[in-house]
Structures are given as structure tokens and as C-alpha cells.
Amino acid sequence: MFENVILFTVVWCAVLVAVTSQGQEVFIKPLEIIQCEERAKDEPVNQTLAAEACMRSYFVDRLSTNVMDLNDHDFFEREFANKQFGKKPPPSGFRVRRDIRVLNITERQKVFRAFDDLYKTGVMARFGRVHGSEIYRKHSGAGFLPWHRVFTTALEEKLREVDPEVSLPYWDYSMDYYMPLPNDSIVWSKCFFGNGNNTVSDGPFRFMYGGFNMPIKRDIMPEETCPPGLISKADIDGLMEFCHFANITTGRQRYNQNRSHNLESLHNSVHNWVGGDMADLGAAAYDPIFFMHHAFIDYIWEQFRRRQSSNECNVDAEKDYREPGDYSIKNDTIALQRPTDAMQAFNHLQIRDGLWNNWTTSVYGYEPAPKCPECGNSENLYCNMTIDPRRPEGVCVPKSIDFCVDPPLYAFHRDETYNKPQGDGAKLSLGPRHLGVPGDGRTRFMSQEDGLVSLRNQLAIDMPTTSQQVFSDNRISTSIPVLATLSSVLGILVVTLGIHNRKITKQLQSLRNPSWAKFTTASQEDTPGTDEARNMGDDSEQLELGTGI
């Protein structure tokens, strides 16, 4: 009884502290930890270490991301629904998205400062919580592409409220794919995204807190049994062989039927390739890389939509969707990815509204991805003419981390209080991961030489072999045997006809002069009819020669 009184008093004191903390958020020790500490009080152990053990045993494998609260719902209702976002031209006007490496230093830093402002005001966290909530309403189904189109455009609009001159850059990692080890790309320097391993401690996003209430972490090109990979140009080419929305999206069968040309599945692989917070569905959108990744996914989808409208497909991209009952791997009443279902966080819009053409005609557009030989006139890219034999025009490839020469971003001071290492501690079990496709086997733990060998082997495997090429190759390889056979048959016909004609000629000669055959033993001078026989012989020989020809 006495123990229960003590326990009740401890809990009541904890609640009282929380209530009287003048609105400040404090950690309330869970009841399970309190009970563990009480059990250790009468034992011959160090009480401080025992209390730490109680905390450790409670928190190991317990790591949850934040979820939306009422304030978040009010924010999205006020900022987007009430302003009819998407149904009217945006207040900040039309904008053009470009690859992050094409931006000059000033343009990049303006983007980074706008992200920093949204982080400090808590807007980034609101978007992170929206994405991490009700994940099956916009993942693993047909609503994936249209919902994320609206989501990234909404974040871009908030960036432009900070600075109307910025637009959301995209990250074309199909260029990074051509590096022997893409983790050496300049994007992983302080000039762009910051470091790709462990806690993000340099660059414009350093020490930003993520969905797990800890600084954001990354684990690019992780060493796994089947390491993930980036989307390649061959992957994009494969998508463009199809015409219908259902060909590149997820239905009830998940990714099994069209895994190699499922844009959501390919997108998942990039999340896992970056690793860390980006690999977790609940925490991914806290890292600004998320939005540049999704801008490129949207860019790929826009290329596909333009193909749909071309003479090759003649498909209405605004109405093309999946068949009824084939919308998601989850039950339709749970996933809510039917075309008429409301968009999560954007309840004034339906899923099908994300298919409108006006998104890329009235709100934003895309500058084409950098191509050789100019590569967007970027000092961060160069044209490689030899790496891919399928592309004789060359491909643009990023320079390495060593080429980062940007001045430090003095506007950001988040690292001033973080002058000590952020002990990573044990790896905890995170939430749901993105289910992607296996990569090409490259990890950041390989040498440059091994990475190059792996890349070239993959490019050889990806070499397309169309029916036209097969026919062309077969035609070339079989032309010599065919000609030889035809020549042989023609020769046999010539010889056969020659022999046949010779027999006919002799028979004709016998009918004209039956005694001609007897003149074989007589001399030309003593035998009558010699001249005639000679003439007939001359004619027959000419006939044979003529037949032979």
C-alpha cells in the first residue's frame, strides 16, 4: 500500500511539473520507467546506473516520428484550402525549375536561405509531419504521383513567399549515376547538400532536426545485401516506352508486375540510396533533399505526360488513371487513392486534380535536364563522350566533391552550439521503409576502380536490343552464307542446262546428216562433206558456249 502511495505521488508530481511549466514542452517520464526504478531501489546496485538502464531498456527500438496535430490541420486549411491553391494561379506567379547544379552560387544560396527560413519558422516540420502521417493515402498506389505533385508545389509556394525569385530546384541523379562512385558527387559537399554520411554537419542544412527529433542523418550508398541504386537514363528510357498511367504506377499487385518501369518503385530506390532519415517514410520530408528528389520525379512524369499527348500515344493525360478497384495495395477505404477521393492535407482538391495540365502551364515549368556538349553551362558538370556507348553524343557528369569552392554560408549559425560530436549511438529500428528495386551493386565502400568496372558492366547489361537491331545484325551475319548458297544453286543450274543443250544439239545434227557420225575416222581432205561437218561443228560449239554463258 505504501509503495502505491509513493508511486502515485511521483506520477502526480511529474504531472504537476508538466502543468506548471508555463507552456513549455517537458519530458514526462513514462510509468514503465518509474516502475523499473522503484524495483531497483532496494537492490544492492548503483542506483544511478540502474536508472540509466531503465531508460535504455525502455527506449531501445522505440523511435517514433511526429504526426500531424490540430495546428498543422489549421495551417494547411488556412494557407492552401482557403486560398484555393491549385485552382487559381499562385500569388507568386509562374516559376521555372532547373537542376540544382545549373544554378549559380547566388541562386543556390537564395534557395538555401529560403529553406532555412521555413525550417526556423517550423513550416518545414509541418510539411514533414504531413508526409509522415497517413502514409498509405499517398504511397503504394495510384495517388502517389498526383499527391506528391501538389505537395512539392505547395512547399515551393512557401519558399517563394520568403523569396519570390527562387524556385524549387530538381536533382537529376541520372547524371550522378555515371560516376564510378556517385557518393563522390559535388552535391555531397558543403556547396550543395552537405555530407552524405552520419549526422549532417556541414553545408546549408547542417544540424537541422528531423522527424525523430534528432539532427538529420544520411547513409548514402549503404553496404547491404542488395544495395539500392539511383535512377539511370536507361530506366527513364524504359518508362518512355509506355503510354498509359497504369503502366508506370502501382495498383493492387504492388510492384511485382511492372517493377522495372514503376516510377514509384524506382523513386523508392533513391530514398534508400540516400539512406538515413530519407529511407524512412515518416521522416523523409524533413530533409530538404526530399523536395529536390521529388521535383525530379515530377520532371520525369511530366516527360511521360508529354509523350501521352503526342501522336505516338494520343492519350488524354488529364483523364488517364488506373482501372476501378486497382488503385492501391491497400483497401480502397483505407488508401483513399480513388480519383474522386480528397487529397490528404489538401482537402479542397481530389486526387484526379493532380492530373490537371495547368500545374505545368500556369504554376511551374521545367528547364530541360542538362545535355552535352554545354551541360547547362554549369561549372559543376562536364560532358563525358565515352562512358556510355549507347549515347555517342555524350552524357553530362557531375564533378567531384573536391571542386566545391563556394564561400561558407555565414547566414546560418546553427552549428555554433554544436561544437561537440553528436554521438550516433546504437542503430534503432525505424519505421516503414520505401520498397524499391535492387541497384547495380555499388556502395561507397568500394574503390573508384571497382566502381567503374561495376558501372561499365551495368551499362553493358542495359544495352538495348530491339527487334530492328536483331534483324539488322542477323541480316549482316547471314548475308555471306546466303549469297554462297545462291551462287552454288545457280552454278548447278548452269551446268545442268549446258549438258541438256549439248544433247539436244547432237540430236538435231543427227537428224540433219545421219552419216555425219561416220566421218570420225576419215581425213578432212579425203572425206566428202568435211566442210559441212566442220561448219556444223563450229555452230554446235557456239551453241554450247552460248548456253554456258
Side-chain angles (χ1 to χ4, degrees), residues 8-29:
F8 176 79
T9 302
V10 171
V11 174
W12 174 253
C13 289
V15 172
L16 185 63
V17 169
V19 171
T20 59
S21 59
Q22 298 180 349
Q24 297 180 357
E25 295 182 4
V26 296
F27 170 70
I28 300 176
K29 190 180 293 184

Side-chain angles (χ1 to χ4, degrees), residues 199-228:
T199 299
V200 181
S201 57
D202 64 8
F205 312 131
R206 57 183 177 268
F207 300 118
M208 281 186 173
Y209 271 69
F212 295 114
N213 303 299
M214 298 169 59
I216 295 168
K217 294 182 181 179
R218 299 172 185 151
D219 186 18
I220 58 175
M221 290 183 70
E223 189 171 35
E224 298 178 357
T225 303
C226 293

Side-chain angles (χ1 to χ4, degrees), residues 238-254:
L239 293 168
M240 301 306 160
E241 294 178 2
F242 300 91
C243 288
H244 291 281
F245 183 82
N247 297 138
I248 66 167
T249 57
T250 304
R252 293 184 61 83
Q253 299 301 318
R254 205 175 183 90

Side-chain angles (χ1 to χ4, degrees), residues 29 37 40 54 109 156 201 252 381 458:
K29 190 180 293 184
E37 292 175 344
C54 290
Q109 294 201 7
E156 183 178 43
S201 57
R252 293 184 61 83
L381 303 170
Q458 187 62 39

